[in-house]
Amino acid sequence: MAAKSSISDIDAQIEKLRERRRSLIVKSAERFARAATKSGLAEMEIADEELDAVFEEIAARFRKEEKKGVAHATASPRRPAAGATGTAAQVSHDG
């Protein structure tokens, strides 16, 4: 009987991990959606293939910085987009 209990425990743990994974994916998607909306990127008509390529370039850049041991990469100041005025908090993309 102990084996059934052990298998049941493992199944419960697997289900909890699956739910945790789903939650992390949703949070990550929401984070990127907020960034895309804030930057105005979400309003632009950009082909999925082009977006995929841009995100691959960004990921490669940050992977390269991780390998170099640059811990402050995420704390670097953000440059405004070309032609943008004001700070990110001042610019509204709500339409």
Side-chain angles (χ1 to χ4, degrees), residues 16-31:
K16 285 180 185 178
L17 288 171
R18 284 185 178 142
E19 183 56 39
R20 183 173 169 200
R21 181 180 185 274
R22 282 189 288 267
S23 176
L24 289 173
I25 289 170
V26 168
K27 287 180 182 180
S28 178
E30 289 172 349
R31 179 177 176 221

PDB file of all heavy atoms in Angstrom, residues 16-31:
ATOM      1  N   LYS A  16       1.006  19.947  -8.945  1.00  0.00           N
ATOM      2  CA  LYS A  16       1.357  21.249  -8.365  1.00  0.00           C
ATOM      3  C   LYS A  16       2.431  21.937  -9.205  1.00  0.00           C
ATOM      4  O   LYS A  16       2.366  23.142  -9.438  1.00  0.00           O
ATOM      5  CB  LYS A  16       1.845  21.084  -6.927  1.00  0.00           C
ATOM      6  CG  LYS A  16       0.742  20.804  -5.940  1.00  0.00           C
ATOM      7  CD  LYS A  16       1.304  20.650  -4.533  1.00  0.00           C
ATOM      8  CE  LYS A  16       0.225  20.258  -3.545  1.00  0.00           C
ATOM      9  NZ  LYS A  16       0.768  20.060  -2.193  1.00  0.00           N
ATOM     10  N   LEU A  17       3.422  21.174  -9.647  1.00  0.00           N
ATOM     11  CA  LEU A  17       4.479  21.742 -10.480  1.00  0.00           C
ATOM     12  C   LEU A  17       3.934  22.208 -11.830  1.00  0.00           C
ATOM     13  O   LEU A  17       4.349  23.247 -12.348  1.00  0.00           O
ATOM     14  CB  LEU A  17       5.612  20.735 -10.675  1.00  0.00           C
ATOM     15  CG  LEU A  17       6.479  20.479  -9.445  1.00  0.00           C
ATOM     16  CD1 LEU A  17       7.425  19.311  -9.703  1.00  0.00           C
ATOM     17  CD2 LEU A  17       7.257  21.735  -9.074  1.00  0.00           C
ATOM     18  N   ARG A  18       3.020  21.444 -12.404  1.00  0.00           N
ATOM     19  CA  ARG A  18       2.396  21.863 -13.672  1.00  0.00           C
ATOM     20  C   ARG A  18       1.638  23.168 -13.498  1.00  0.00           C
ATOM     21  O   ARG A  18       1.713  24.057 -14.339  1.00  0.00           O
ATOM     22  CB  ARG A  18       1.465  20.772 -14.193  1.00  0.00           C
ATOM     23  CG  ARG A  18       2.194  19.608 -14.806  1.00  0.00           C
ATOM     24  CD  ARG A  18       1.230  18.619 -15.414  1.00  0.00           C
ATOM     25  NE  ARG A  18       1.975  17.532 -16.028  1.00  0.00           N
ATOM     26  CZ  ARG A  18       1.607  16.266 -16.005  1.00  0.00           C
ATOM     27  NH1 ARG A  18       0.476  15.913 -15.419  1.00  0.00           N
ATOM     28  NH2 ARG A  18       2.331  15.348 -16.586  1.00  0.00           N
ATOM     29  N   GLU A  19       0.919  23.291 -12.404  1.00  0.00           N
ATOM     30  CA  GLU A  19       0.173  24.528 -12.135  1.00  0.00           C
ATOM     31  C   GLU A  19       1.134  25.696 -11.911  1.00  0.00           C
ATOM     32  O   GLU A  19       0.907  26.796 -12.392  1.00  0.00           O
ATOM     33  CB  GLU A  19      -0.744  24.344 -10.923  1.00  0.00           C
ATOM     34  CG  GLU A  19      -1.601  25.548 -10.624  1.00  0.00           C
ATOM     35  CD  GLU A  19      -2.454  25.997 -11.792  1.00  0.00           C
ATOM     36  OE1 GLU A  19      -2.992  25.143 -12.522  1.00  0.00           O
ATOM     37  OE2 GLU A  19      -2.585  27.219 -12.003  1.00  0.00           O
ATOM     38  N   ARG A  20       2.202  25.425 -11.191  1.00  0.00           N
ATOM     39  CA  ARG A  20       3.208  26.470 -10.965  1.00  0.00           C
ATOM     40  C   ARG A  20       3.832  26.909 -12.288  1.00  0.00           C
ATOM     41  O   ARG A  20       4.049  28.091 -12.537  1.00  0.00           O
ATOM     42  CB  ARG A  20       4.282  25.946 -10.021  1.00  0.00           C
ATOM     43  CG  ARG A  20       5.317  26.954  -9.656  1.00  0.00           C
ATOM     44  CD  ARG A  20       6.253  26.412  -8.595  1.00  0.00           C
ATOM     45  NE  ARG A  20       7.384  27.288  -8.432  1.00  0.00           N
ATOM     46  CZ  ARG A  20       8.520  26.936  -7.901  1.00  0.00           C
ATOM     47  NH1 ARG A  20       8.683  25.703  -7.449  1.00  0.00           N
ATOM     48  NH2 ARG A  20       9.513  27.783  -7.810  1.00  0.00           N
ATOM     49  N   ARG A  21       4.095  25.935 -13.173  1.00  0.00           N
ATOM     50  CA  ARG A  21       4.651  26.234 -14.498  1.00  0.00           C
ATOM     51  C   ARG A  21       3.686  27.094 -15.299  1.00  0.00           C
ATOM     52  O   ARG A  21       4.078  28.089 -15.905  1.00  0.00           O
ATOM     53  CB  ARG A  21       4.942  24.927 -15.238  1.00  0.00           C
ATOM     54  CG  ARG A  21       5.535  25.104 -16.612  1.00  0.00           C
ATOM     55  CD  ARG A  21       5.787  23.737 -17.272  1.00  0.00           C
ATOM     56  NE  ARG A  21       6.446  23.874 -18.535  1.00  0.00           N
ATOM     57  CZ  ARG A  21       5.816  24.075 -19.687  1.00  0.00           C
ATOM     58  NH1 ARG A  21       4.502  24.154 -19.711  1.00  0.00           N
ATOM     59  NH2 ARG A  21       6.486  24.200 -20.804  1.00  0.00           N
ATOM     60  N   ARG A  22       2.405  26.729 -15.297  1.00  0.00           N
ATOM     61  CA  ARG A  22       1.392  27.523 -16.009  1.00  0.00           C
ATOM     62  C   ARG A  22       1.352  28.946 -15.475  1.00  0.00           C
ATOM     63  O   ARG A  22       1.275  29.910 -16.237  1.00  0.00           O
ATOM     64  CB  ARG A  22       0.018  26.871 -15.886  1.00  0.00           C
ATOM     65  CG  ARG A  22      -0.190  25.686 -16.807  1.00  0.00           C
ATOM     66  CD  ARG A  22      -1.638  25.221 -16.801  1.00  0.00           C
ATOM     67  NE  ARG A  22      -2.011  24.561 -15.554  1.00  0.00           N
ATOM     68  CZ  ARG A  22      -1.950  23.254 -15.351  1.00  0.00           C
ATOM     69  NH1 ARG A  22      -1.531  22.454 -16.302  1.00  0.00           N
ATOM     70  NH2 ARG A  22      -2.308  22.747 -14.188  1.00  0.00           N
ATOM     71  N   SER A  23       1.410  29.075 -14.168  1.00  0.00           N
ATOM     72  CA  SER A  23       1.376  30.392 -13.537  1.00  0.00           C
ATOM     73  C   SER A  23       2.584  31.239 -13.944  1.00  0.00           C
ATOM     74  O   SER A  23       2.445  32.427 -14.248  1.00  0.00           O
ATOM     75  CB  SER A  23       1.336  30.231 -12.020  1.00  0.00           C
ATOM     76  OG  SER A  23       1.386  31.475 -11.384  1.00  0.00           O
ATOM     77  N   LEU A  24       3.759  30.627 -13.954  1.00  0.00           N
ATOM     78  CA  LEU A  24       4.966  31.356 -14.349  1.00  0.00           C
ATOM     79  C   LEU A  24       4.902  31.790 -15.815  1.00  0.00           C
ATOM     80  O   LEU A  24       5.330  32.891 -16.165  1.00  0.00           O
ATOM     81  CB  LEU A  24       6.210  30.500 -14.113  1.00  0.00           C
ATOM     82  CG  LEU A  24       6.587  30.292 -12.651  1.00  0.00           C
ATOM     83  CD1 LEU A  24       7.733  29.282 -12.535  1.00  0.00           C
ATOM     84  CD2 LEU A  24       6.975  31.599 -12.007  1.00  0.00           C
ATOM     85  N   ILE A  25       4.346  30.949 -16.668  1.00  0.00           N
ATOM     86  CA  ILE A  25       4.206  31.294 -18.084  1.00  0.00           C
ATOM     87  C   ILE A  25       3.255  32.475 -18.242  1.00  0.00           C
ATOM     88  O   ILE A  25       3.537  33.421 -18.986  1.00  0.00           O
ATOM     89  CB  ILE A  25       3.737  30.069 -18.904  1.00  0.00           C
ATOM     90  CG1 ILE A  25       4.872  29.050 -18.993  1.00  0.00           C
ATOM     91  CG2 ILE A  25       3.277  30.484 -20.298  1.00  0.00           C
ATOM     92  CD1 ILE A  25       4.461  27.709 -19.571  1.00  0.00           C
ATOM     93  N   VAL A  26       2.145  32.450 -17.523  1.00  0.00           N
ATOM     94  CA  VAL A  26       1.174  33.549 -17.594  1.00  0.00           C
ATOM     95  C   VAL A  26       1.807  34.847 -17.094  1.00  0.00           C
ATOM     96  O   VAL A  26       1.672  35.901 -17.721  1.00  0.00           O
ATOM     97  CB  VAL A  26      -0.107  33.212 -16.796  1.00  0.00           C
ATOM     98  CG1 VAL A  26      -0.986  34.434 -16.606  1.00  0.00           C
ATOM     99  CG2 VAL A  26      -0.878  32.104 -17.490  1.00  0.00           C
ATOM    100  N   LYS A  27       2.511  34.787 -15.966  1.00  0.00           N
ATOM    101  CA  LYS A  27       3.161  35.986 -15.425  1.00  0.00           C
ATOM    102  C   LYS A  27       4.190  36.535 -16.400  1.00  0.00           C
ATOM    103  O   LYS A  27       4.314  37.748 -16.589  1.00  0.00           O
ATOM    104  CB  LYS A  27       3.811  35.687 -14.073  1.00  0.00           C
ATOM    105  CG  LYS A  27       2.808  35.530 -12.960  1.00  0.00           C
ATOM    106  CD  LYS A  27       3.486  35.230 -11.637  1.00  0.00           C
ATOM    107  CE  LYS A  27       2.461  35.038 -10.543  1.00  0.00           C
ATOM    108  NZ  LYS A  27       3.092  34.746  -9.253  1.00  0.00           N
ATOM    109  N   SER A  28       4.954  35.653 -17.028  1.00  0.00           N
ATOM    110  CA  SER A  28       5.948  36.080 -18.003  1.00  0.00           C
ATOM    111  C   SER A  28       5.277  36.736 -19.204  1.00  0.00           C
ATOM    112  O   SER A  28       5.716  37.787 -19.682  1.00  0.00           O
ATOM    113  CB  SER A  28       6.777  34.883 -18.454  1.00  0.00           C
ATOM    114  OG  SER A  28       7.718  35.263 -19.419  1.00  0.00           O
ATOM    115  N   ALA A  29       4.200  36.127 -19.685  1.00  0.00           N
ATOM    116  CA  ALA A  29       3.471  36.691 -20.828  1.00  0.00           C
ATOM    117  C   ALA A  29       2.899  38.065 -20.479  1.00  0.00           C
ATOM    118  O   ALA A  29       2.969  39.006 -21.291  1.00  0.00           O
ATOM    119  CB  ALA A  29       2.358  35.744 -21.257  1.00  0.00           C
ATOM    120  N   GLU A  30       2.357  38.202 -19.277  1.00  0.00           N
ATOM    121  CA  GLU A  30       1.817  39.495 -18.849  1.00  0.00           C
ATOM    122  C   GLU A  30       2.919  40.544 -18.762  1.00  0.00           C
ATOM    123  O   GLU A  30       2.713  41.700 -19.130  1.00  0.00           O
ATOM    124  CB  GLU A  30       1.111  39.353 -17.504  1.00  0.00           C
ATOM    125  CG  GLU A  30      -0.188  38.588 -17.590  1.00  0.00           C
ATOM    126  CD  GLU A  30      -0.797  38.273 -16.233  1.00  0.00           C
ATOM    127  OE1 GLU A  30      -0.118  38.457 -15.195  1.00  0.00           O
ATOM    128  OE2 GLU A  30      -1.957  37.830 -16.210  1.00  0.00           O
ATOM    129  N   ARG A  31       4.082  40.143 -18.293  1.00  0.00           N
ATOM    130  CA  ARG A  31       5.219  41.073 -18.181  1.00  0.00           C
ATOM    131  C   ARG A  31       5.627  41.599 -19.552  1.00  0.00           C
ATOM    132  O   ARG A  31       5.814  42.802 -19.745  1.00  0.00           O
ATOM    133  CB  ARG A  31       6.390  40.345 -17.522  1.00  0.00           C
ATOM    134  CG  ARG A  31       7.620  41.177 -17.374  1.00  0.00           C
ATOM    135  CD  ARG A  31       8.705  40.386 -16.652  1.00  0.00           C
ATOM    136  NE  ARG A  31       9.919  41.158 -16.583  1.00  0.00           N
ATOM    137  CZ  ARG A  31      11.127  40.651 -16.765  1.00  0.00           C
ATOM    138  NH1 ARG A  31      11.266  39.366 -17.004  1.00  0.00           N
ATOM    139  NH2 ARG A  31      12.182  41.411 -16.709  1.00  0.00           N
TER     140      ARG A  31
END
